[in-house]
Amino acid sequence: MSVKSPLRTLAVFLLTLGTNTGCESPTPASGTDPLPTVEGPTGPVDPGPLPQEPVEEDPGPVAQQPPPVKEEPPPVQEEPPPLEEEDDADVARPFLVKDLSPGVRPGLPHVRLDGRAQLGAYTYFAADDGIHGWELWRTDGTPEGTSLVTDLLPGREGSDPSPLVRMGDSLYFTARMRPGVSAEYDLYALWRTDGTAAGTRRLVTLMRHAWDVTVRDGRLFFRASPQDDFFGMDPSLWSTDGTPEGTVNLGRGPHPPTPPEPTVTQDPALMPAPGASSFGWNSEAVDVDGTLFFTTQPDAQDGGLWKSDGTPEGTTRVEIKAEATFEHRPRNLAALNGGVLFLEEDWRDQNSLWWLERGATEARRLGKVAQAREGEGLSFASSGTRAWFIQGAPWQWSTQELWTTDGTVEGTVRLAPAGNPLFQAARLLTPVGDTLYFVSDEGEGSTYGALWKSDGTSKGTVRVQSFRENAGRWADVLAIYPAGSRMFLLVLKETGYEVWLREGTSETARFVAPLPYDFNYHFRNEAAVVGDTLFLSCPHSFFSGSLLWKTDGHDSGPVRGLASQPFHLTAHGDRVLFWTTDAEGGYELWQSDGTLVGTTPVRDAAPGAAGSVAFPVPLVPLRPGGPLLFAASDGASGLELWKTDGTALGTKRLVDGVPGVRSSAPANLTVAGDHLFFSAWTPESGRELWALPRQAPGAETSP
């Protein structure tokens, strides 16, 4: 057999790869189970001279060029194959609503060719198939012999394995185990694999990818930052024999240069074909009186605006008729007065505001609009009967205007004109009932923010309260938290952060309590209201953990200290649920009843550093009172649909949409009418629209 270059073989294979990528589900990786991490001594050890000898590795047999793959006609839409269903009595079975764009992705859209490694008959490389993120794949040069090795970090970002280096009969690489507050603070690990999921084992936890990797005398040497080097400024030289106990830190040395970024191939022949998926990550969805309106992927065959009642025949593309030029690229959907409000961008890159009644086909153009924030576009704050928005030149506060609309041309009016000295940099548009509350600076160049409100008329758009008194040199409102008839405010003054409360018929808010002195608002702060109590995430400065804090307007204080900031705080009965991570594990679901002893993990679904979710995800109620649905992984399966009632026994996977370590990766969970809609991927259909009946099996239909 003639030997060809691995690069050429891999390129030929990828160009001929059809719809069969990843057709075999590998055995669940033992690396996703809790693995013993034994780190070597951190004391100084004389490593001797840094090894520099190049390694001559046997490339192993390389597969011959595969024959051209015969293109198959698009699959006929059929009932989806049965999913592996969990035993659950209170939640119905999810189903594919309609395959809007029959077919699946024809190949791997993103591949790193410069990081490949040969082991036996297979070439191993990192690839992103658009579903699992950057993970480890292998190929023997044929579509049938190409598969995902293991999904170390379920989710669309992936574990990002790099670099791949062979030593003996194993490959070594570093991969991300858990995301941090930003990409610079992710947690990584050194892994060893024999090319199978079961043979992929974690050796040591690190703070960065490894670099300067070389092999000498049966040991792998590399540079990397240890787990305690949070900022990655003091890397060490490491050595391993392929075992956890044989992986040692040889000591810190001078700061080496930043490792180069890997090259990503984006050959047009490898990109997804039009029509491969429809309802995906970038789609928008909104409930309009029980009907789901949603947008499809930009590359979908039948793009534009769609609607669904949860049945195949009731899932149709909205063929919009309009009295003006209409490109059929709607975005920024919002429910308004029995219809959907949206923006439409024409071929001149100009935005127009449109409204479409739920059962109609002719859209109404309300006028031309200009974005108010560069890169953010226009967003609507809708009370259901009226929507407010800001338009004007990006970052030019003097040109920005507050507008409102009820879906009619005559009801689309300007409330506050540009240049109003008492109306600058409007923000935090928050509907409370039929009233809009928002914050605006007290004049041009002012360091003081005031609370305003609007009833939808110019006369009724007035300032409510200033916070200048005893504020020092500045005061601003950073967040508005509606709580029934009450409203909490997060206020920043020169003296620190404070919580204020407006309640009952009172026009103004009163001071409640200060927040901890080291409270840090620069990161994402979240809140949830349980009854009359506000729960607030309070991250500390300098990444030193976080607090769960609460107040009912009278009694205030910390609930419990946490190793990481809580995310997606969600009220559930008399408790709050949220995602957080401790110093050892990944993100897991927690609960709190407002007490120290009552703030505990709900269930550690995936013990170990990986956690249940790579990134915290929203908790969406299926029905009033629950259960709450979300996407997670237990390590044995990929990212799938789960449910929780706030208890360990009631937290479990609903269905394994794609059995094995691959994922159906549910996203865009949206309740509309009698269904919870979501997007999910399967090998048979690609990423499409799925639904779950909200009514429990066997329950009587409400009259």
Side-chain angles (χ1 to χ4, degrees), residues 132-407:
H132 301 90
W134 287 103
E135 294 292 350
L136 183 63
W137 287 68
R138 72 176 189 177
T139 182
D140 62 0
T142 68
E144 301 78 23
T146 302
S147 63
L148 175 71
V149 175
T150 183
D151 191 2
L152 292 178
L153 190 60
R156 58 176 171 169
E157 298 297 331
S159 64
D160 190 23
S162 174
L164 303 178
V165 176
R166 177 184 172 187
M167 184 174 74
D169 57 359
S170 298
L171 293 180
Y172 295 80
F173 59 92
T174 48
R176 182 171 52 180
M177 295 195 312
R178 187 182 72 207
V181 294
S182 65
E184 292 80 10
Y185 307 108
D186 293 347
L187 196 62
Y188 290 80
L190 176 68
W191 294 76
R192 171 186 175 179
T193 183
D194 63 1
T196 67
T200 303
R201 313 291 293 185
R202 177 165 53 95
L203 300 180
V204 67
T205 303
L206 303 168
M207 212 45 223
R208 292 287 188 278
H209 269 306
W211 66 94
D212 288 347
V213 184
T214 185
V215 178
R216 181 178 182 181
D217 298 331
R219 294 191 69 87
L220 185 99
F221 293 85
F222 60 95
R223 291 192 182 277
S225 296
Q227 187 176 357
D228 60 359
D229 182 15
F230 192 83
F231 293 98
M233 300 299 293
D234 198 10
S236 302
L237 176 65
W238 295 74
S239 173
T240 183
D241 63 358
T243 65
E245 57 273 13
T247 303
V248 294
N249 185 338
L250 300 178
R252 305 181 190 275
H255 194 293
T258 303
E261 291 290 328
T263 302
V264 178
T265 296
Q266 293 183 315
D267 192 305
L270 308 180
M271 298 302 289
S277 295
S278 59
F279 187 45
W281 300 110
N282 298 322
S283 299
E284 298 181 40
V286 65
D287 173 24
V288 179
D289 296 341
T291 297
L292 181 79
F293 280 81
F294 62 98
T295 60
T296 54
Q297 293 282 81
D299 60 354
Q301 187 173 9
D302 291 320
L305 186 64
W306 286 67
K307 66 178 181 179
S308 177
D309 62 2
T311 66
E313 58 275 9
T315 303
T316 59
R317 186 175 186 264
V318 181
E319 300 295 341
I320 298 179
K321 301 176 183 178
E323 69 275 15
T325 303
F326 195 88
E327 296 292 321
H328 212 86
R329 293 188 292 176
R331 55 188 175 85
N332 299 70
L333 309 185
L336 177 65
N337 273 338
V340 58
L341 183 71
F342 59 92
L343 289 179
E344 172 75 15
E345 183 179 333
D346 63 22
W347 61 274
R348 296 165 297 181
D349 293 330
Q350 294 182 343
N351 292 318
S352 296
L353 184 63
W354 296 76
W355 181 83
L356 176 69
E357 190 176 3
R358 185 181 64 156
T361 59
E362 186 165 352
R364 179 187 300 151
R365 187 177 185 271
L366 305 180
K368 179 182 173 182
V369 295
Q371 65 178 3
R373 302 281 195 277
E374 187 173 10
E376 297 180 9
L378 208 67
S379 60
F380 304 111
S382 177
S383 65
T385 59
R386 180 170 294 279
W388 291 265
F389 57 96
I390 301 291
Q391 64 166 317
W395 303 113
Q396 296 181 18
W397 311 125
S398 61
T399 69
Q400 294 186 6
E401 303 172 339
L402 177 64
W403 284 68
T404 185
T405 182
D406 60 3

Side-chain angles (χ1 to χ4, degrees), residues 312-594:
E313 58 275 9
T315 303
T316 59
R317 186 175 186 264
V318 181
E319 300 295 341
I320 298 179
K321 301 176 183 178
E323 69 275 15
T325 303
F326 195 88
E327 296 292 321
H328 212 86
R329 293 188 292 176
R331 55 188 175 85
N332 299 70
L333 309 185
L336 177 65
N337 273 338
V340 58
L341 183 71
F342 59 92
L343 289 179
E344 172 75 15
E345 183 179 333
D346 63 22
W347 61 274
R348 296 165 297 181
D349 293 330
Q350 294 182 343
N351 292 318
S352 296
L353 184 63
W354 296 76
W355 181 83
L356 176 69
E357 190 176 3
R358 185 181 64 156
T361 59
E362 186 165 352
R364 179 187 300 151
R365 187 177 185 271
L366 305 180
K368 179 182 173 182
V369 295
Q371 65 178 3
R373 302 281 195 277
E374 187 173 10
E376 297 180 9
L378 208 67
S379 60
F380 304 111
S382 177
S383 65
T385 59
R386 180 170 294 279
W388 291 265
F389 57 96
I390 301 291
Q391 64 166 317
W395 303 113
Q396 296 181 18
W397 311 125
S398 61
T399 69
Q400 294 186 6
E401 303 172 339
L402 177 64
W403 284 68
T404 185
T405 182
D406 60 3
T408 66
V409 175
E410 58 274 12
T412 304
V413 296
R414 184 180 63 183
L415 296 177
N420 186 335
L422 296 179
F423 183 82
Q424 298 289 324
R427 53 199 180 274
L428 300 180
L429 275 61
T430 307
V432 179
D434 293 328
T435 301
L436 176 79
Y437 286 88
F438 63 98
V439 178
S440 183
D441 291 346
E442 297 185 10
E444 186 174 359
S446 174
T447 58
Y448 300 94
L451 181 67
W452 288 61
K453 72 174 183 179
S454 175
D455 62 1
T457 66
S458 296
K459 186 177 179 180
T461 302
V462 296
R463 187 171 64 179
V464 175
Q465 185 174 1
S466 172
F467 298 89
R468 298 180 65 142
E469 187 176 355
N470 300 322
R473 291 173 295 175
W474 64 80
D476 197 10
V477 179
L478 301 182
I480 301 174
Y481 305 117
S485 62
R486 313 196 320 163
M487 185 171 64
F488 290 95
L489 304 172
L490 176 60
V491 177
L492 169 64
K493 296 184 178 181
E494 185 180 8
T495 53
Y497 294 90
E498 301 173 350
V499 173
W500 289 58
L501 173 64
R502 175 192 171 276
E503 53 188 338
T505 58
S506 174
E507 280 294 316
T508 58
R510 62 176 175 84
F511 170 78
V512 173
L515 287 174
Y517 73 93
D518 59 347
F519 174 78
N520 185 1
Y521 188 72
H522 294 293
F523 294 129
R524 179 178 175 182
N525 298 90
E526 297 194 9
V529 176
V530 179
D532 291 332
T533 301
L534 171 74
F535 286 84
L536 184 65
S537 66
C538 295
H540 299 316
S541 301
F542 308 111
F543 314 100
S544 58
S546 183
L547 274 179
L548 182 64
W549 189 89
K550 72 169 185 177
T551 181
D552 61 4
H554 301 284
D555 298 324
S556 309
V559 176
R560 173 172 174 163
L562 301 168
S564 178
Q565 181 180 352
F567 289 95
H568 291 295
L569 274 65
T570 305
H572 181 60
D574 59 353
R575 293 172 292 170
V576 63
L577 301 180
F578 56 90
W579 297 100
T580 191
T581 175
D582 56 28
E584 301 298 330
Y587 284 102
E588 296 293 351
L589 189 62
W590 283 56
Q591 64 162 346
S592 177
D593 61 2

